[in-house]
Every structure is written in C-alpha cells, then in structure tokens.
Amino acid sequence: MSINNFIDLRSDTVTVPTNEMRAAMAQAEVGDDVLGEDPTINRLQEMAAARMGKEAGLFVSSGTMGNLIALLTHCGRGDEIIIGDSSHIFINEAGGSAAVGGIHPHIVPTQRDGTLRLEDVAAAIRSDDEHHPITRLIAIENTHNRSGGTVLTAEYTQQVADLAHGHGLVLHIDGARLFNAAVALGIDVAALARAADSVTFCLSKGLGAPVGSVLCGSQAFIKTARRRRKMLGGGMRQAGILAAAGVYALDHRVDRLKEDHANARRLAEGIGRIPGLCVDMAAVQTNMVYFDLSDDLPFGAVELCRLAEAHGVKMFDVAPRTIRAVIHCWVSSAEIETTLQILSEVTKL
Ligand code: TLP
C-alpha cells in the first residue's frame, strides 16, 4: 500500500490515483473547457454543485486557486476579510489575496476546535467609517487543518452565516476536506455547505485524485469566478482527463474516508501509549494526528521525523516539538501498526 516504498504520512496530498481511477481518466471524453465544451468537466461541475447544494461549480487546479478565486470574486481592492489566525488562507496560500487582489486580512484567534468565536468575528466587523477598510467576507475552514483536522458542525456554520448575512457580508468555506467532515458527522455534505455563499473542496487529498478542486456557489458567482480563473491563467483546455478522476472520486472514494478516520484514531491511541509522545485525542476527529514530543525527549520534531524516515515513515514537523501524521487511502491498518512500532523504537532512550 505504501507510496514509493514509504509509509507517507506527510499529507493526504501525496495520494496517487488507483488503476481504476487512471482507467477512468484514460477514457474521459474531452473538449475545450474555456469554450465550455469539455463534457467531463461539465459533468464534474454539475455533480459537485449538486453535492454541495449549490447552483453551479467551477473546476480549478488547486484548493489554493479555489480560495483565491472565491476571494477575488467576492471582494474588491481594499476590502477586508475576516479569517482565523491559523487558517490555511492566512498561513499557507502565499498571501495571494493580498498580493493579487489587494484584499486586507483581519485575523481573529482560531479556537482549539477550529472555530472562530462569534464574538470575535462580530467585533472584527468594521463600522461605517471612512478610515476603515470595508468588511466584505468571513471565511471558515472545515475540517480545520492546524487544529488537528477538527470538524465544524452544520449548526456552527449556520451561526456564522447568520452573523455574516446580518451584516451584509458573505461566508466562504475553505472546505478542502469538507467530505471528511461530513463523513465524520455522518451527514450529507450539503448540510455543511448550504449556509455559505461559496465553498471550495479538494479532489486531490483524501479523495485520491491527482489534481483539482471545485469551487461552488450561485450561477452569478460562478460566472464571475470563471472570469477570475481566466485572469489567473487557470482556464484549462482538455482538462476533462483530470476532471474524470474527480468524477470517479465523487462516485467511489467518499464513503471510504471513514476507514482513514478509524486508522487515524488507531494511530493516535497508539502514539498516546508511547512514552515521550502526547496526543490530544479530542482533536483527532478525522484523518489527521498532531502529536507533541514531551520535554524529556532529548530531541525535537525535526530529528524525530528524520529518524522515522530512516525507518520508512515520512511525517511533517509542524512546530519545534509537534509532528503531523495524515492518514489516507494508501495507508493500511497494518502500516499503522508498523508506524507505531517504528515510533516506539526511535523514541526509546
Ligand atoms: N494543505 C496542505 C498544505 O498546504 C499545508 C496540507 O498538506 O495539508 N485548504 C486547506 C485547509 C488545506 O489544508 C490545503 C492544503 C489547501 C486549502 C490548499 O490546497 P492545494 O494544496 O490544493 O492548493
């Protein structure tokens, strides 16, 4: 099951397409998508919109591009967006919305469970004063990556949407792993997306496609988003070959995410039993395990990752004493056990 002979837990972005997915890609009907004539892309966009409970969808090259296009579509230069201080948009998207769109980020603290406190968001909304930027949008992230892959509920999402709409703002969801959230909650993904004005989700993470995300929203929103995508050079041509992997993923790879969640829990429980390592089990809700090195271990996260890699397990050090392990379809339950053995071995003093 491993990828290139490693148990690769760095991210679910490392997943490679299965033979069945590759066959679907090879057989895809294609056309010029800038002219709207790629039947496979059109199909993926329709499927995605239907799943999200939105009118329309737009196939984009990545989660980062989906978020950027959403922000460029909702906001103008000098407008302000309210986002979490540990959101992917704030930390990991190269400042794209500021660089490309002149959009001003107003950050509020992300809580341990990945939510933003409604009071903090409300306090961040600007008053009508010519000194201020104009608040235009609130963005939340579900699942929340840096909080451990934590799940935001439909009720919470609705509360943020009500707050946004009550102030004439829009709500965008970075739903890179929204299907993980829906599977963890055992609900229809549309229940998590419905209240938002736009949502983007990734095909190239736990769903196992090699490329792509879909941005969904109203017909009018997607019409403008298409123009923004073109502006960014993201108008692809016969990309139905890529979209076919997405269609296959939506048809065949969603329900199995629960296996990844079960494996993540098994890994977390095992790590919790290894002296020198600690896990906050409350944060292990989907396919991610963030764990800390206790002070008595004489080395840090970089060194532990290096030792584990030398034994065939790749992980990312995300802070000096914190490591992230992400479970996906190329990690078997047997490899969870192997990983635990290796971690016990390399942390022995
Ligand atoms: N996250 C990647 C890295 O960029 C950190 C990962 O390995 O987790 N939103 C969220 C919540 C994400 O976690 C990611 C990717 C994205 C957006 C961006 O997706 P891509 O990589 O397709 O641009």
Side-chain angles (χ1 to χ4, degrees):
M1 290 276 290
S2 48
I3 300 176
N4 297 328
N5 294 325
F6 278 95
I7 300 174
D8 196 340
L9 308 181
R10 287 174 300 172
S11 182
D12 45 13
T13 60
V14 302
T15 48
V16 294
T18 60
N19 288 338
E20 294 78 10
M21 188 179 272
R22 286 171 192 264
M25 295 172 75
Q27 285 151 19
E29 261 188 274
V30 296
D32 188 331
D33 180 51
V34 173
L35 304 179
E37 291 173 7
D38 188 301
T40 311
I41 293 186
N42 291 340
R43 174 142 179 253
L44 172 65
Q45 291 174 165
E46 280 161 24
M47 280 172 83
R51 289 286 191 110
M52 295 290 147
K54 299 287 169 213
E55 289 173 3
L58 184 68
F59 184 53
V60 294
S61 65
S62 66
T64 301
M65 184 182 263
N67 284 332
L68 179 57
I69 291 174
L71 299 181
L72 292 175
T73 305
H74 289 302
C75 307
R77 299 188 71 78
D79 284 350
E80 191 167 69
I81 56 173
I82 300 174
I83 50 178
D85 60 351
S86 64
S87 62
H88 196 275
I89 291 177
F90 186 58
I91 295 180
N92 280 323
E93 299 187 2
S97 55
V100 182
I103 297 165
H104 194 245
H106 189 151
I107 55 164
V108 296
T110 309
Q111 303 303 304
R112 281 182 71 95
D113 63 359
T115 59
L116 309 178
R117 288 173 65 231
L118 297 176
E119 301 84 327
D120 293 338
V121 175
I125 298 170
R126 303 287 183 177
S127 58
D128 183 12
D129 177 329
E130 71 177 33
H131 295 83
H132 294 163
I134 296 171
T135 310
R136 197 68 75 184
L137 171 147
I138 302 168
I140 54 175
E141 185 176 311
N142 196 8
T143 64
H144 196 280
N145 185 343
R146 288 244 164 181
S147 303
T150 50
V151 171
L152 310 188
T153 63
E155 294 71 29
Y156 171 75
T157 308
Q158 185 65 55
Q159 286 170 357
V160 185
D162 290 344
L163 177 62
H165 297 151
H167 287 82
L169 313 178
V170 295
L171 172 65
H172 172 68
I173 300 179
D174 174 358
R177 299 181 180 83
L178 199 64
F179 281 101
N180 292 82
V183 166
L185 291 167
I187 60 174
D188 185 352
V189 71
L192 294 175
R194 195 168 290 127
D197 300 276
S198 58
V199 57
T200 181
F201 71 91
C202 294
L203 298 159
S204 65
K205 299 192 168 62
L207 299 183
V211 179
S213 295
V214 188
L215 173 63
C216 298
S218 67
Q219 292 283 5
F221 169 80
I222 292 298
K223 186 167 189 281
T224 309
R226 253 188 105 80
R227 192 177 282 251
R228 299 286 178 271
R229 184 184 68 173
K230 192 78 186 91
M231 182 186 81
L232 295 173
M236 296 183 280
R237 303 291 178 172
Q238 288 74 22
I241 287 186
L242 304 175
V247 170
Y248 182 88
L250 288 180
D251 277 338
H252 301 282
R253 310 294 288 172
V254 173
D255 290 342
R256 62 149 309 287
L257 291 172
K258 59 180 176 292
E259 295 167 33
D260 298 342
H261 299 174
N263 276 337
R265 177 150 277 276
R266 209 167 290 140
L267 180 70
E269 285 166 356
I271 289 175
R273 287 192 288 269
I274 298 175
L277 303 182
C278 351
V279 190
D280 173 7
M281 284 305 296
V284 183
Q285 300 175 7
T286 55
N287 66 328
M288 295 190 180
V289 181
Y290 279 71
F291 60 97
D292 295 324
L293 282 65
S294 64
D295 292 341
D296 34 312
L297 272 189
F299 47 79
V302 174
E303 178 65 0
L304 182 51
C305 286
R306 199 190 59 72
L307 289 167
E309 182 162 344
H311 288 77
V313 176
K314 292 189 188 183
M315 296 174 298
F316 269 143
D317 55 292
V318 292
R321 299 195 79 77
T322 308
I323 291 175
R324 183 185 80 162
V326 184
I327 307 305
H328 49 75
C329 53
W330 292 95
V331 184
S332 66
S333 330
E335 285 165 339
I336 297 292
E337 297 310 319
T338 311
T339 302
L340 288 170
Q341 278 160 19
I342 290 168
L343 286 176
S344 302
E345 208 49 50
V346 299
T347 49
K348 266 195 193 120
L349 301 177

